[in-house]
């Protein structure tokens, strides 16, 4: 192999939802919904379109092999565009502007005339059978020197509810797709770059926040391995681990290949019917199955059960392929006898398959059609093990390991979206787009201007509540108070299980205003936030927590005010009630009911007359 | 300047970089090129340099298999796209008209019948003319005479209902003549083209014996409705289930994907009629939709016409100043037929004074005919008859299910 090749070549593809008012190609809001809120559903079939070359995209073909009929849920926040029942509206200009803002942050060059394309996707997640996407800018760079190759503006896909059921609320939400060059060299660098890009995106203040709003795909290859794309990593902190585990997996697959070669391993095409062996077996799966097939893997003994990634064996890879046919999994001799399969049954299978000590046997079970399909897939994947690492699209499992998802998509699967006119990016427009202050720069400024310590400044700058924090400071609230109320209190309360997501930026500002006017004490902040999160309107929450003023205190305040305006009171008599009322109310800072104040004031005026 | 052709290899310089691309077309002064990633972008022509023109081998396509034991169906295309192919290299989408290309795009058709194809025009359906209707009628009649089991007419959806009505009058048929199209472009994996075509083919081999439109019955890919050619209307600009039977239920349905056909008791059965062609049609006919305050001078444009259909308000009215104008037209020999823009229900000009004045002026009541069906029928009737009495008799008679004596509940 090429000794010059770096130990790791990795790149990132980051998908971030934009926080626009409307979707990318229709005027629906970009709001996610609960499945139970749906107001209708419909079903569709998707067909792969035949390309000029007479080929169907291989990822598309793979999808066609399994699922074809899809159900879609509609909402009162979706329309005929999501249903693929109406031509799309023009490209959302707000989304274009945000996308260009991000492009400026990475020093990119805009495309002069942006064309919307149709990218064929027939896994059901797009009602049209394609995803609309447009290349907006190219050629940017990151501080560490890695390249940002492209930024595309595309529509988000429908959310999968179950296998073949999709929810249309997410379909059409604008996404930016940022693609780096294959320039990242260590697992840590991949994670750092992902963090940096995320920070830049949030700096625009125009991206959605929270789980599922940003998704990272990682492209990885190592020398002698193959390009593998890991889809949909949502947890930033897992990225380095995912990369490490994929490197490990590829190294192990390469080592297995070399050893298999040394043993002269090969894969038979034969599917051996062993259904009769399992008549009366204690394995409920095999007992129920209409057909059990065995595949002999010559020279594979010990390798099928070999761990290639934490919790994953070569057998797991074979099982992933077999599952495409609708079977639950596979059994193999490296792990048998077990699962109710007896030693004698394993022996009978080995004999029927004419398997020697060096050979492994894989069992698949199901209906005749499913079993045959699964056996074929096992043979296919086992054959790939002899070649090393297959090119694949994989999905992340919970701990950072990955499972096979589908083949890497071929390149030729885009054609123009003729329903959308191209959008020109004029030079003056591009140059007029303001570059936002990066959040790391903002944090520095918070340290200097507000005297926040560095972790606090960073926390404020990267908080979801940053807009309210900055607004409060613009209104003259002391930074430390704003920080306490808007930044830290919600985090602490969220830990205690308070649904602070229900508290709006305006609510925080209302709380601050109540404190500033002295209506409530600072100590009441957690109670206020909790009440508002529980659905109490802010003014009601404040009113229920105002510090009471005693009757004695009220009388004292009124006498003081009357004392200071003796002449006026003498002159006006009871006519002074109105003008004085305002003064008293100001003094008690709204903590006493107006009616009580008026009664007390009347009493005191009568007394002094 | 280089004359670029679609498919030429080019190099682009821009954004401080140089990259290879494929030239696609010119758009608003910019060169549209396709990058290796598949994306199109528009760049200034001066940033391009020509690299070469690749030899593209025509794709070696497998010949679709046609089963000799299946009934023969004729597909006649007028321009509506039922199948198309995408060239991902250039992004070009081409409509497919030959039997082989259609079968390649919708292979499941081959299990329903064997096909012969004919393309009589390649127009957008808004450009349909009486002349093309006549060509179509002759082509269908020719196929009927040769003994096909059914005829499928692919048609743009905009004016499909007009054409279905026209053929209903021009051709008497013993076998199904099915109009079909697609509301969502055939190049998209979600297109309704394939399901509509499969349902149309199933209807074409069914025990039906009349002209019908077969299109999606719902927004789902679950069934197509079979609509009588003279009672169908496009009622939505874009939805798959845009076509609706008006004033009667559909005459049948085709379930999908099992393609089972169910016909209602009203459907005309296969073999009830002999093939007859009467394609003569009077072109000097018009259709006017009346609106409040409309100037009767508009009617002057119809002087010299032989027929005029009005889509009146409500029960079939126009304003009082129009009555005189219409009376003059009628006196000059123009056959005037009143229909209603309500679309649902029956015209009755005997209820109000204006209506009675219209009848006195010589206006015929179009009963419950759809305005555009009344127009097509009037064109055909005037092609068959000269005498006013005969014209009135034919217009009043139910010839192809276009009018119904009873207005039934629930419609
Ligand atoms: Zn919408």
């Amino acid at each position: 192999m090429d000794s010059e090749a770096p130990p790791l070549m990795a790149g990132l593809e980051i998908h971030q939802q934009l926080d626009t008012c409307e979707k990318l190609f229709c005027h629906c809001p970009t709001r996610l919904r609960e499945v139970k809120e749906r107001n209708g559903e419909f079903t569709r079939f998707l067909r792969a379109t035949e390309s000029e070359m007479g080929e169907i995209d291989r990822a598309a073909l793979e999808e066609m092999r399994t699922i074809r009929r899809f159900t879609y849920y509609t909402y009162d926040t979706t329309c005929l565009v999501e249903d693929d029942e109406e031509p799309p509206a023009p490209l959302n200009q707000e989304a274009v502007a945000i996308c260009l803002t991000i492009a400026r942050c990475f020093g990119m060059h805009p495309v002069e005339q942006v064309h919307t394309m149709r990218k064929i996707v027939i896994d059901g997640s797009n009602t049209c059978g394609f995803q609309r996407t447009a290349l907006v800018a190219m050629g940017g760079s990151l501080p560490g020197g890695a390249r940002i190759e492209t930024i595309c503006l595309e529509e988000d896909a429908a959310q999968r509810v179950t296998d073949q059921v999709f929810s249309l609320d997410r379909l059409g939400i604008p996404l930016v797709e940022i693609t780096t060059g294959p320039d990242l060299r260590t697992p840590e660098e991949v994670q750092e770059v992902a963090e940096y890009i995320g920070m830049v995106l949030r700096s625009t203040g125009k991206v959605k926040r929270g789980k599922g709003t940003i998704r990272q795909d990682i492209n990885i290859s190592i020398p002698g391995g193959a390009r593998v794309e890991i889809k949909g990593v949502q947890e930033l902190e897992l990225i380095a681990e995912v990369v490490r585990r994929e490197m490990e997996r590829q190294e192990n697959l390469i080592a297995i290949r070399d050893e298999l070669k040394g043993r002269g391993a090969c894969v038979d095409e034969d599917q051996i019917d062993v259904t009769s062996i399992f008549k009366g077996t204690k394995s409920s799966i095999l007992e129920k199955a209409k057909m059990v097939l065995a595949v002999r893997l010559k020279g594979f003994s010990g390798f099928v059960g070999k761990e290639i990634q934490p919790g994953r064996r070569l057998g797991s890879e074979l099982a992933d392929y077999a599952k495409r046919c609708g079977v639950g999994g596979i059994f193999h001799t490296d792990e048998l006898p077990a699962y109710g399969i007896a030693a004698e049954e394993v022996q009978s299978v080995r004999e029927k398959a004419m398997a020697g000590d060096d050979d492994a046997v894989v069992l698949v079970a199901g209906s005749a059609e499913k079993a045959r399909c699964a056996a074929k897939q096992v043979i296919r994947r086992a054959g790939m093990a002899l070649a090393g690492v297959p090119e694949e699209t994989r999905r992340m499992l919970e701990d950072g390991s990955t499972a096979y998802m589908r083949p890497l998509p071929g390149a030729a699967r885009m054609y123009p979206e003729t329903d959308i006119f191209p959008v020109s990016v004029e030079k003056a427009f591009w140059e007029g787009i303001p570059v936002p202050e990066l959040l790391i720069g903002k944090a520095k400024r918070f340290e200097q201007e507000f005297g926040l310590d560095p972790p606090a400044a960073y926390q404020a700058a990267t908080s979801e509540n940053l807009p309210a924090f900055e607004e409060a400071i613009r209104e003259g609230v002391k930074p430390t108070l704003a920080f306490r109320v808007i930044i830290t209190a919600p985090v602490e309360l969220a830990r205690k299980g308070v649904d602070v997501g229900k508290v709006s930026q305006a609510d925080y500002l209302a709380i601050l205003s109540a404190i500033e006017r002295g209506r409530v004490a600072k100590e009441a902040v957690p109670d206020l936030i909790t009440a508002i999160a529980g659905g109490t309107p802010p003014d009601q929450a404040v009113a229920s927590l105002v510090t009471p003023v005693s009757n004695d205190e009220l009388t004292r305040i009124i006498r003081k005010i009357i004392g200071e305006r003796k002449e006026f009171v003498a002159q006006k008599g009871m006519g002074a009630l109105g003008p004085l009322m305002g003064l008293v109310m100001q003094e008690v800072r709204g903590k006493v009911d107006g009616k009580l104040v008026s009664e007390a004031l009347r009493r005191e005026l009568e007394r002094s007359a | 300047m280089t004359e670029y052709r679609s498919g030429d290899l080019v190099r682009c310089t821009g954004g401080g970089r140089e990259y290879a691309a494929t030239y696609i077309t010119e758009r608003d002064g910019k060169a549209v090129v396709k990058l290796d990633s598949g994306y199109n972008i528009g760049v200034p022509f001066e940033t391009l340099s020509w690299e070469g023109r690749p030899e593209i081998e025509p794709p070696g396509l497998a010949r679709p298999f046609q089963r000799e034991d299946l009934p023969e169906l004729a597909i006649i295309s007028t321009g509506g796209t039922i199948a198309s192919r995408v060239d991902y290299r250039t992004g070009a989408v081409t409509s497919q008209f030959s039997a082989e290309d259609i079968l390649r795009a919708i292979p499941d058709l081959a299990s329903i019948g064997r096909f012969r194809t004919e393309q009589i025009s390649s127009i957008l359906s808004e450009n349909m003319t009486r002349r093309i209707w006549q060509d179509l009628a002759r082509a269908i009649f020719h196929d009927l005479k040769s003994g096909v089991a059914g005829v499928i007419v692919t048609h743009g959806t905009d004016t499909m209902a007009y054409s279905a009505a026209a053929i209903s009058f021009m051709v008497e048929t013993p076998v199904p003549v099915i109009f079909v199209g697609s509301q969502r472009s055939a190049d998209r994996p979600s297109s309704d083209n394939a399901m509509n075509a499969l349902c149309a083919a199933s209807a074409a081999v069914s025990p039906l014996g009349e002209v019908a439109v077969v299109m999606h019955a719902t927004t789902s890919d679950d069934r197509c409705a079979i609509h009588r050619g003279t009672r169908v209307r496009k009622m939505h600009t874009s939805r798959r289930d845009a076509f609706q039977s008006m004033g009667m239920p559909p005459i049948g349905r085709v379930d999908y994907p099992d393609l089972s056909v169910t016909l209602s008791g009203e459907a005309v059965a296969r073999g009830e009629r002999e093939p007859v062609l009467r394609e003569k049609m009077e072109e000097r006919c018009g259709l006017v939709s009346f609106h409040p305050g409309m100037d009767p001078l508009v009617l002057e444009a119809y002087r010299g016409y032989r027929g005029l259909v009005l889509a009146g308000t409500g029960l079939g009215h126009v304003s009082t100043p129009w009555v005189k104008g219409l009376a003059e037209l009628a006196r000059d020999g123009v056959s005037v037929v009143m229909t209603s823009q309500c679309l649902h229900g029956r015209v009755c000009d005997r209820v109000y004074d204006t209506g009675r004045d219209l009848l006195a002026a010589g206006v015929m009541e179009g009963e419950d005919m759809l305005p555009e069906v009344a127009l097509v029928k009037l064109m055909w009737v005037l092609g068959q008859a000269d005498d006013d009495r005969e014209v009135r008799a034919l217009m009043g008679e139910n010839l192809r299910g276009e009018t119904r004596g009873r207005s039934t509940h629930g419609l």
Side-chain angles (χ1 to χ4, degrees):
Chain A
M1 288 310 298
D2 184 0
S3 59
E4 297 293 307
L8 171 69
M9 280 175 63
L12 280 162
E13 219 174 79
I14 293 186
H15 298 90
Q16 166 76 62
Q17 283 180 356
L18 303 183
D19 195 17
T20 49
C21 295
E22 296 180 349
K23 287 185 174 177
L24 195 54
F25 295 108
C26 68
H27 303 294
C28 289
T30 58
R31 239 179 82 201
L32 293 183
R33 305 296 299 274
E34 300 284 335
V35 162
K36 64 173 191 290
E37 296 173 309
R38 68 183 184 272
N39 65 2
E41 61 180 71
F42 59 89
T43 59
R44 294 274 167 74
F45 290 84
L46 291 179
R47 285 177 167 261
T49 44
E50 193 193 29
S51 80
E52 188 69 70
M53 314 308 285
E55 287 169 5
I56 293 167
D57 174 66
R58 68 174 157 151
L61 194 65
E62 179 92 357
E63 288 301 336
M64 222 165 73
R65 191 171 292 153
T66 49
I67 319 161
R68 287 186 55 221
R69 182 182 209 144
F70 305 104
T71 298
Y72 297 97
Y73 290 163
T74 64
Y75 300 85
D76 56 7
T77 49
T78 64
C79 72
L80 291 189
V81 173
E82 285 95 328
D83 297 0
D84 186 40
E85 284 281 46
E86 186 175 294
L91 189 59
N92 180 332
Q93 288 303 301
E94 186 190 6
V96 174
I98 300 170
C99 192
L100 289 170
T101 305
I102 297 165
R104 288 212 70 159
C105 292
F106 292 116
M108 302 180 79
H109 301 273
V111 166
E112 290 193 22
Q113 194 183 55
V114 175
H115 289 252
T116 302
M117 307 295 291
R118 297 170 168 177
K119 186 196 270 182
I120 296 291
V121 178
I122 56 163
D123 64 359
S125 63
N126 287 76
T127 43
C128 304
F130 50 74
Q131 179 190 35
R132 298 187 185 93
T133 174
L135 175 56
V136 175
M138 298 190 284
S141 62
L142 288 158
R147 291 164 296 170
I148 300 275
E149 289 189 335
T150 54
I151 177 164
C152 297
L153 184 57
E154 51 191 39
E155 52 182 355
D156 205 345
Q159 178 113 40
R160 202 184 282 271
V161 181
T162 60
D163 242 16
Q164 304 179 40
V165 179
F166 291 87
S167 178
L168 293 182
D169 50 339
R170 201 181 69 186
L171 179 64
I173 293 181
L175 277 184
V176 287
E177 184 207 65
I178 295 168
T179 309
T180 74
D183 304 338
L184 312 175
R185 296 290 173 263
T186 66
E188 295 70 29
E189 192 187 1
V190 179
Q191 182 161 327
E192 280 158 21
V193 163
E195 280 167 4
Y196 181 82
I197 293 173
M199 183 276 299
V200 171
L201 291 170
R202 288 193 300 279
S203 298
T204 62
K206 291 293 181 88
V207 301
K208 289 209 185 274
R209 305 279 296 251
K211 200 169 160 52
T213 56
I214 186 164
R215 301 191 291 274
Q216 283 99 1
D217 296 348
I218 314 168
N219 274 297
I220 303 173
S221 62
I222 65 167
R227 192 161 83 81
V228 163
E229 187 174 309
I230 298 170
K231 280 274 181 205
V233 181
Q234 299 209 358
E235 299 83 352
L236 207 54
E237 56 282 2
L238 264 177
I239 287 181
E241 181 64 16
V242 170
V243 176
R244 274 192 290 272
R245 288 193 184 193
E246 178 57 21
M247 292 171 76
E248 184 186 343
R249 194 184 69 94
Q250 296 206 10
E251 281 156 12
N252 282 326
L253 286 174
I254 294 165
I256 288 175
R257 176 201 56 197
D258 294 344
E259 290 192 56
L260 285 173
K261 271 188 182 165
R263 270 199 201 175
C266 63
V267 178
D268 296 341
E269 292 288 327
D270 302 342
Q271 306 181 0
I272 305 140
D273 190 338
V274 293
T275 318
S276 58
I277 295 175
F278 294 97
K279 289 257 153 62
T281 179
K282 290 209 171 62
S283 158
S284 58
I285 294 171
L286 297 186
E287 212 259 320
K288 268 187 286 179
K290 287 257 174 350
M291 180 178 271
V292 184
L293 293 175
V295 174
R296 184 181 65 168
L297 306 177
K298 221 169 158 23
F300 274 67
S301 176
F303 291 112
V304 182
K306 197 171 155 88
E307 191 170 77
I308 52 172
Q309 222 182 15
R312 300 272 309 172
R313 293 152 208 288
L314 179 58
S316 323
E317 304 285 321
L318 302 181
D320 287 345
Y321 277 68
K323 282 177 191 165
R324 307 279 308 169
C325 304
V327 300
I330 62 164
F331 296 105
H332 58 82
T333 48
D334 282 359
E335 57 174 8
L336 298 177
Y339 311 112
I341 301 173
E344 306 80 68
E345 289 165 346
V346 176
Q347 195 49 42
S348 307
V349 167
R350 280 192 165 278
E351 277 164 22
K352 190 148 188 201
M354 294 189 289
D357 289 347
D358 272 357
D359 304 340
V361 180
V362 174
L363 296 173
V364 292
S367 67
E369 190 191 359
K370 281 182 182 173
R372 286 213 179 86
C373 170
K376 210 169 158 186
Q377 290 292 324
V378 167
I379 291 165
R380 214 178 118 218
R381 180 61 187 86
M384 294 176 191
L386 297 172
V389 186
E391 286 195 338
E392 286 170 342
T393 303
R394 301 179 66 84
R395 67 189 166 86
M396 200 191 85
L397 303 172
E398 261 175 27
D399 55 351
S401 290
T402 57
Y404 169 74
M405 206 174 155
R406 53 174 184 252
L408 277 187
R413 48 169 191 162
M414 274 205 235
Y415 68 109
E417 169 53 276
T418 38
D419 298 343
I420 303 285
F421 285 163
V423 172
S424 290
V425 180
E426 305 295 340
K427 197 155 176 265
F429 179 69
W430 165 250
E431 283 166 359
I433 289 174
V435 179
E437 181 183 25
L438 290 186
L439 296 180
I440 44 173
K442 211 178 266 278
K444 271 268 170 305
R445 183 162 61 79
F446 288 173
E447 281 176 43
Q448 287 154 6
E449 287 181 14
F450 309 148
L452 295 176
D453 59 49
Y458 187 75
Q459 194 189 349
T462 55
S463 165
E464 263 186 75
N465 292 338
L466 173 70
F469 177 74
E470 293 192 288
E471 176 66 23
I473 286 173
R474 264 196 299 279
E475 285 178 8
V477 176
K478 277 212 314 254
T480 44
L481 176 64
F483 181 70
R484 167 92 197 89
V485 173
I486 299 177
I487 309 295
T488 58
V491 176
E492 285 157 18
L493 289 168
R495 262 185 225 129
K496 288 182 190 153
V498 176
D499 187 4
V500 292
K502 294 248 162 66
V503 184
S504 73
Q505 313 269 314
D507 294 338
Y508 288 112
L509 294 174
I511 293 171
L512 279 171
S513 143
I515 297 173
E516 293 270 284
R517 285 188 291 124
R519 294 194 66 199
V520 286
K522 272 184 273 189
E523 290 67 33
V525 165
D527 291 341
L528 277 173
I529 295 176
T530 308
I532 294 168
T536 314
D539 33 332
Q540 250 181 56
V542 168
S544 70
L545 285 168
V546 291
T547 346
V549 176
S550 69
N551 278 335
D552 287 355
E553 216 177 322
L554 179 61
T555 309
R556 197 181 46 75
I557 290 168
I558 292 174
R559 287 188 182 160
K560 184 174 135 259
I561 287 172
I562 293 176
E564 283 164 4
R565 291 166 182 76
K566 276 208 178 92
E567 232 170 277
F568 177 71
V569 172
Q571 205 179 6
K572 294 267 175 174
M574 283 315 276
L577 182 78
L580 293 188
M581 181 75 193
L583 291 171
V584 180
M585 283 309 282
Q586 216 172 355
E587 196 74 10
V588 300
R589 299 190 290 210
K591 291 176 201 169
V592 186
D593 188 71
K595 213 169 125 209
L596 288 176
V597 173
S598 147
E599 275 165 19
L601 187 57
R602 184 181 299 272
R603 203 169 54 231
E604 288 302 315
L605 282 172
E606 278 165 1
R607 204 182 62 92
S608 67
Chain B
M1 203 177 87
T2 323
E3 271 300 319
Y4 292 102
R5 263 199 249 157
S6 185
D8 284 358
L9 300 177
V10 292
R11 287 199 81 72
C12 311
T13 341
R17 295 199 308 171
E18 211 185 288
Y19 43 88
T22 304
Y23 178 82
I24 304 298
T25 187
E26 183 271 346
R27 178 83 190 233
D28 303 334
K30 295 270 191 296
V32 180
V33 298
K34 191 178 195 67
L35 307 179
D36 288 344
S37 59
Y39 281 98
N40 285 10
I41 58 172
V43 299
F45 270 97
E46 50 278 20
T47 64
L48 290 193
S49 63
W50 193 82
E51 288 281 299
R53 188 162 290 162
E55 290 277 321
I56 303 296
E57 297 244 337
L61 299 173
R63 243 187 127 78
F65 180 69
Q66 299 231 45
R67 275 174 51 183
E68 288 303 316
D69 58 326
L70 290 175
E72 188 180 30
L73 296 173
I75 299 179
I76 304 175
S77 55
T78 59
T81 302
I82 198 70
S84 62
R85 189 190 288 158
V86 183
D87 176 356
Y88 289 109
R89 201 174 60 83
T90 60
V93 178
T94 41
S95 298
Q96 304 296 308
F97 298 111
S98 79
E100 285 191 3
D101 287 336
I102 291 172
L103 285 176
R104 213 173 276 121
I106 313 171
D108 333 21
L109 278 174
S111 61
I112 301 171
R114 64 199 152 91
F115 296 87
R116 62 155 96 153
T117 54
E118 184 181 356
Q119 187 182 353
I120 60 153
S121 69
S122 57
I123 51 154
L124 297 167
S125 81
E126 55 270 33
N127 295 328
M128 183 52 72
T129 61
R130 177 204 53 153
R131 208 168 278 284
I132 300 174
W133 282 341
Q134 289 170 324
D135 290 343
L136 178 59
R138 282 187 284 264
I140 292 170
F141 182 70
H142 181 262
D143 284 324
L144 296 181
K145 290 299 269 184
S146 77
V148 294
V151 179
I152 298 166
V153 180
T154 68
H155 200 293
T157 56
D158 276 15
T159 63
M160 185 192 285
Y162 288 83
S163 297
I167 296 302
S168 298
F169 292 109
M170 294 156 95
V171 182
E172 285 184 50
T173 174
V175 302
V177 175
I178 307 294
F179 280 76
V180 68
S182 58
Q183 280 282 84
R184 309 299 292 140
S185 66
D187 54 79
R188 60 183 66 216
S190 62
S191 175
D192 50 336
N193 70 324
M195 175 178 145
N196 289 347
L198 290 165
C199 290
S202 302
V205 297
S206 77
L208 186 70
E210 62 178 306
V211 178
V213 166
V214 171
M215 292 285 286
H216 264 62
T218 74
T219 191
S220 288
D221 289 344
D222 54 0
R223 61 181 185 275
C224 278
I226 308 176
H227 304 281
R228 175 159 288 159
T230 52
R231 296 274 0 159
V232 64
R233 198 162 198 281
K234 185 176 183 179
M235 294 298 282
H236 197 278
T237 57
S238 58
R239 282 177 61 131
R240 287 165 173 73
D241 55 355
F243 285 84
Q244 305 276 322
S245 281
M246 305 295 285
M248 73 178 291
I251 53 172
R253 58 187 268 180
V254 186
D255 287 310
Y256 189 82
D258 68 1
L259 297 176
S260 59
V261 179
T262 313
L263 297 176
S264 84
E266 287 205 55
V268 178
R270 180 182 283 271
E272 275 187 18
R273 297 174 182 149
E274 284 301 311
V276 178
L277 174 69
R278 288 197 201 89
E279 81 269 45
K280 209 163 164 238
M281 270 197 150
E282 172 56 60
E283 199 160 32
R284 289 169 298 160
C285 290
L287 169 59
V288 174
S289 187
F290 173 80
H291 62 76
M294 196 171 184
D295 191 334
L297 268 179
V298 167
L299 291 173
E300 290 303 309
Y302 294 93
R303 283 212 187 276
Y305 269 52
R306 289 204 55 212
L308 179 64
V309 175
L310 297 164
T313 58
L315 282 167
H317 298 130
V318 289
S319 63
T320 311
W322 271 53
V323 177
K324 191 166 151 271
L326 289 171
E328 280 170 22
L329 282 182
R331 202 177 46 231
D332 292 353
V334 183
S335 299
V336 183
V337 179
M338 178 62 77
T339 63
S340 173
Q341 46 194 255
C342 294
L343 304 177
H344 291 280
R346 189 178 302 274
V347 161
C348 182
D349 280 312
R350 286 148 285 149
V351 180
Y352 298 104
D353 281 347
T354 311
R356 288 187 279 263
D357 293 345
L358 281 167
L359 292 180
V363 172
M364 285 176 254
E365 289 174 310
E367 295 289 333
D368 61 343
M369 273 189 287
L370 291 167
E372 56 277 9
V373 174
L375 168 72
V376 169
K377 182 178 181 182
L378 187 58
M379 290 170 77
W380 182 78
V381 165
L382 291 172
Q384 314 304 311
D386 280 325
D387 175 61
D388 182 56
R389 291 247 302 266
E390 209 179 330
V391 168
R392 280 175 181 271
L394 283 171
M395 284 308 291
E397 194 183 330
N398 176 19
L399 303 172
R400 303 285 189 266
E402 72 279 11
T403 173
R404 293 155 67 80
R406 294 171 59 236
S407 307
T408 46
H409 297 289
L411 294 161

